[in-house]
Amino acid sequence: MCGIVGYIGEQDAKEILLKGLERLEYRGYDSAGIAVRNSAGITVFKEKGRIADLRAEVNGDVEAVTGIGHTRWATHGVPNHVNAHPHQSVTERFTIVHNGVIENYHHLQRDYLQGVSMKSDTDTEIVVQLIEKFSSEGLTTKEAFTKTLELLKGSYAIALMDAEEAQTIYVAKNKSPLLVGLGENFNVVASDAMAMLQVTDQFVELMDKEIVIVRKENVDIYTLGGDRIDRDPFTAQIDMSDIEKGTYPHYMLKEIDEQPAVVRKIIQAYQNEQDELAIEPEVLEALQQADRLYIVAAGTSYHAGLIGKEYLEKLAKIPVEVHIASEFGYNMPLLSERPLFIFISQSGETADSRQVLVKVKDLGHPALTITNVAGSTLSREADYTLLLHAGPEIAVASTKAYTAQLAVLSILSAVAAKAKGLDIGFDLEQELSIAANAIQAQVDDKENMENIAREYLETTRNCFFIGRNLDYYVGLEGALKLKEISYIQAEGFAGGELKHGTIALIEEGTPVIALATQEAVNLNIRGNVKEVVARGANPCIISMAGHAEDEDRLVLPAVHELLAPIVSVVPLQLISYYAALHRGCDVDKPRNLAKSVTVE
Ligand code: M6R
């Protein structure tokens, strides 16, 4: 949530910052700003709305080779011009951008800043005012920044400029991601390497509670205690074409289309030299040592976790619990004697999941992270990582990361089963390839998906997704997809549960999307469809070849039942996409949301 950038060098800072912010817009897009420095001092431009609005606001005549920028997802204070970053201290000597939440900002204001009149409602402004206060008491900027950081509770990635020090950007982080990028006669700062790939692919990872002095020629990293740290840069393995929309109208559509290739890439990535599916021995060992697995995740990743539980229990015969991260950390269930925690997260930065990881590590339990982002916080802080290999996912609504999560979870389960000497009874690699082909058939059938969206969702104010067994979990994901991008009130229900209350919501014409891919409950879910139809619902049955009926609106090619979710979710993604498009919604950047949820 929120993205920050910084540049110090010889080129036009404004353009580099704006381009960087455009790449970080997925992190928040309710307001944005940049501050640039030249011999006349620091000039701030900020605007409510998107980076495009900010661009229109920036005066092209201001020449500057140093600057910082921010794109915001509001936490403290409504999204408006005043609350947009950068924020400045009373005398405007100090200017900062901040990503994160300062939990004790009220206390700090009360204890240190009585009498200082605040311009904004943000927690961030407290930080910049503190720096100015300590500096006015005689500390150097580095000392004042360090002293301020020592007082902060919460999460932050901060870039700071001092009007009296033209050659420096100060940065620091705690819990929020931040990288420094290296170049010839310039250096940059960014929440995500993607933002600065236009100028460099060499980055240095920053750790929590470090303070970094970024100059044009060099970057110096210190602990808050003042010890110097040497750290080698790494090369960001991101292809520019992965982060461009190309000819697609939206990232979401591009990412939906990439799913067959992602599944095939995962098969390859998890093959050993004998071309067999394999997982690192340490991960298998950790699984074998565990008496119970605890999957912890949020949103779409939580929905993948529900299906992961089925895979791990059915194939590897390991008991699994699945928990919503924001609940688990503050209401921890009784744990088994030898738990292994599995964190599922596309971004690897989700604060709700991270707070659980910190707690379980404190308790001394092992943790595995399944993520799309190598080097992300959840990956670094867990004992083991399995990568999704889905390529950057930019649309806020997660699509290819979900199918990748399911594919990796299926591989983990099958390989763990084999390690235990269990026969899963089918060739997973072959079945995943068949599933990839079946996904391709869905993405090639867009016209049909668009017609379904028109037929069922054009004017409706609500929509239900029902299913049983694995189909129920896919329905939850379908409902999330639809509501987050089209704002239609959509809910997923277990088919058998409707009669216990929810069926009261069914009215004449209510769209009910029913998934029927699981043979054992095929007749049951069809019975549930009859119940809603009898009460006026407009049913859309999505079934699978082998047990389809004439009444079905969409029949998916037959795949192994356990892998049906990897395929059946795709029409739901496409139907949601077209429903949102028809309603004129901003598909890639839905209201109130952000891609990387780095606040609790
Ligand atoms: O990066 P993560 O997978 O940890 O993110 C978790 C959720 O915030 C995320 O899945 C969210 O629900 C998506 N917007 C869903 O499309």
Side-chain angles (χ1 to χ4, degrees):
M1 277 185 165
C2 302
I4 71 175
V5 286
Y7 172 83
I8 184 159
E10 293 172 349
Q11 296 174 47
D12 178 13
K14 298 188 303 300
E15 194 46 37
I16 291 172
L17 295 173
L18 287 168
K19 280 218 177 88
L21 290 178
E22 276 159 5
R23 297 237 174 274
L24 290 185
E25 213 171 12
Y26 73 90
R27 300 180 68 86
Y29 37 84
D30 57 42
S31 52
I34 60 170
V36 290
R37 191 190 194 294
N38 56 24
S39 51
I42 291 176
T43 311
V44 174
F45 301 98
K46 48 187 183 175
E47 194 55 274
K48 181 176 182 318
R50 303 288 168 88
I51 308 302
D53 302 303
L54 172 65
R55 210 177 243 292
E57 186 61 20
V58 169
N59 177 352
D61 296 339
V62 176
E63 286 181 7
V65 291
T66 306
I68 55 180
H70 186 272
T71 180
R72 179 168 190 246
W73 185 86
T75 57
H76 295 63
V78 296
N80 61 18
H81 184 274
V82 173
N83 291 329
H85 298 217
H87 290 283
Q88 293 194 291
S89 60
V90 177
T91 65
E92 301 190 349
R93 173 173 167 189
F94 297 101
T95 305
I96 70 167
V97 290
H98 162 227
N99 164 30
V101 171
I102 307 303
E103 288 157 10
N104 59 338
Y105 78 105
H106 263 312
H107 293 135
L108 294 173
Q109 185 174 10
R110 184 197 59 203
D111 296 346
Y112 295 91
L113 298 170
Q114 300 253 353
V116 177
S117 76
M118 298 290 160
K119 283 177 256 173
S120 74
D121 301 320
T122 63
D123 50 340
T124 303
E125 191 182 344
I126 305 296
V127 180
V128 75
Q129 303 293 14
L130 278 175
I131 295 167
E132 169 139 327
K133 173 188 161 57
F134 296 140
S135 145
S136 70
E137 289 169 357
L139 298 188
T140 64
T141 301
K142 184 176 171 226
E143 288 164 349
F145 190 28
T146 306
K147 183 165 176 180
T148 302
L149 296 173
E150 280 165 345
L151 292 173
L152 303 183
K153 289 206 169 77
S155 55
Y156 56 78
I158 294 174
L160 162 74
M161 286 199 301
D162 175 355
E164 293 180 11
E165 235 181 296
Q167 305 305 329
T168 313
I169 297 175
Y170 293 87
V171 302
K173 79 170 275 296
N174 187 44
K175 299 188 197 168
S176 299
L178 194 61
L179 298 167
V180 171
L182 309 180
E184 189 87 354
N185 279 331
F186 71 89
N187 288 304
V188 294
V189 178
S191 300
D192 183 329
M194 232 192 266
M196 286 297 166
L197 272 187
Q198 39 162 333
V199 289
T200 184
D201 63 356
Q202 295 300 301
F203 291 89
V204 179
E205 208 180 315
L206 304 184
M207 300 299 166
D208 286 353
K209 308 224 163 153
E210 290 177 344
I211 180 165
V212 188
I213 298 178
V214 184
R215 298 201 174 90
K216 188 173 90 172
E217 305 81 9
N218 55 300
V219 170
D220 296 316
I221 309 176
Y222 300 91
T223 63
L224 283 192
D227 296 330
R228 183 81 188 260
I229 295 170
D230 283 325
R231 188 170 299 133
D232 290 334
F234 66 92
T235 305
Q237 305 287 350
I238 310 171
D239 195 326
M240 273 307 259
S241 65
D242 280 349
I243 57 177
E244 303 286 358
K245 250 191 317 213
T247 53
Y248 281 92
H250 297 101
Y251 280 107
M252 183 178 176
L253 197 60
K254 173 176 183 261
E255 289 160 7
I256 290 173
D257 272 10
E258 284 170 356
Q259 291 178 106
V262 167
V263 173
R264 291 186 190 111
K265 188 165 173 203
I266 289 170
I267 298 173
Q268 272 182 2
Y270 282 94
Q271 272 173 341
N272 63 15
E273 282 169 5
Q274 291 74 47
D275 288 345
E276 293 161 345
L277 292 175
I279 297 282
E280 289 150 33
E282 310 82 66
V283 177
L284 292 179
E285 177 65 24
L287 246 71
Q288 273 171 355
Q289 292 300 318
D291 60 355
R292 184 168 283 264
L293 307 178
Y294 293 81
I295 294 181
V296 178
T300 289
S301 298
Y302 169 75
H303 295 154
L306 294 170
I307 291 172
K309 170 184 161 77
E310 300 291 321
Y311 291 170
L312 286 157
E313 291 192 338
K314 292 207 163 76
L315 301 179
K317 312 288 180 216
I318 312 173
V320 184
E321 291 179 22
V322 191
H323 292 271
I324 292 174
S326 55
E327 285 296 309
F328 190 94
Y330 299 98
N331 187 15
M332 210 177 272
L334 196 59
L335 298 179
S336 66
E337 272 180 30
R338 286 174 285 111
L340 169 68
F341 283 82
I342 302 183
F343 293 86
I344 306 179
S345 174
Q346 186 283 132
S347 63
E349 300 294 345
T350 300
D352 286 326
S353 299
R354 198 219 175 206
Q355 54 90 11
V356 182
L357 175 57
V358 170
K359 283 177 186 147
V360 303
K361 292 312 296 168
D362 282 350
L363 292 171
H365 300 309
L368 159 69
T369 291
I370 300 179
T371 183
N372 202 24
V373 184
S376 58
T377 306
L378 287 172
S379 164
R380 278 202 321 270
E381 296 181 357
D383 302 276
Y384 319 100
T385 296
L386 294 180
L387 289 176
L388 295 177
H389 300 287
E393 190 182 67
I394 291 165
V396 165
S398 186
T399 53
K400 63 177 179 172
Y402 174 81
T403 43
Q405 287 162 345
L406 298 190
V408 170
L409 283 160
S410 72
I411 293 172
L412 176 66
S413 308
V415 177
K418 193 173 168 200
K420 284 173 82 173
L422 300 169
D423 179 6
I424 64 166
F426 64 96
D427 178 344
L428 179 64
E429 189 182 322
Q430 190 181 344
E431 295 300 335
L432 278 171
S433 301
I434 294 171
N437 294 342
I439 298 173
Q440 189 65 55
Q442 303 318 297
V443 301
D444 290 345
D445 196 20
K446 291 195 182 69
E447 206 179 315
N448 196 13
M449 308 299 169
E450 182 161 16
N451 288 339
I452 295 177
R454 259 193 225 295
E455 206 178 308
Y456 289 87
L457 302 172
E458 197 143 77
T459 55
T460 191
R461 64 184 172 85
N462 59 4
C463 175
F464 299 134
F465 291 75
I466 63 170
R468 286 174 168 245
N469 194 328
L470 292 178
D471 286 336
Y472 164 43
Y473 302 139
V474 179
L476 294 177
E477 175 57 11
L480 176 62
K481 225 56 339 163
L482 184 62
K483 67 185 132 190
E484 71 181 332
I485 60 168
S486 74
Y487 319 137
I488 295 170
Q489 170 80 43
E491 303 301 338
F493 298 110
E497 191 65 9
L498 289 173
K499 56 188 175 294
H500 299 291
T502 317
I503 204 161
L505 295 171
I506 300 293
E507 295 171 341
E508 195 58 40
T510 304
V512 175
I513 298 182
L515 291 158
T517 73
Q518 303 291 304
E519 191 160 16
V521 287
N522 187 34
L523 295 180
N524 309 64
I525 192 66
R526 289 179 187 280
N528 299 137
V529 172
K530 295 272 180 300
E531 291 159 8
V532 292
V533 169
R535 286 153 183 90
N538 185 15
C540 172
I541 302 177
I542 300 179
S543 67
M544 187 158 279
H547 39 263
E549 308 253 343
D550 288 347
E551 60 185 352
D552 300 348
R553 184 67 177 78
L554 194 66
V555 179
L556 307 173
V559 299
H560 191 285
E561 268 200 348
L562 279 180
L563 301 183
I566 296 184
V567 181
S568 61
V569 76
V570 179
L572 305 188
Q573 296 166 346
L574 282 165
I575 292 166
S576 301
Y577 171 80
Y578 287 113
L581 200 65
H582 297 161
R583 286 174 179 240
C585 301
D586 188 339
V587 173
D588 282 340
K589 297 192 188 85
R591 71 183 180 207
N592 304 340
L593 295 176
K595 181 75 181 160
S596 183
V597 187
T598 54
V599 294
E600 278 184 44

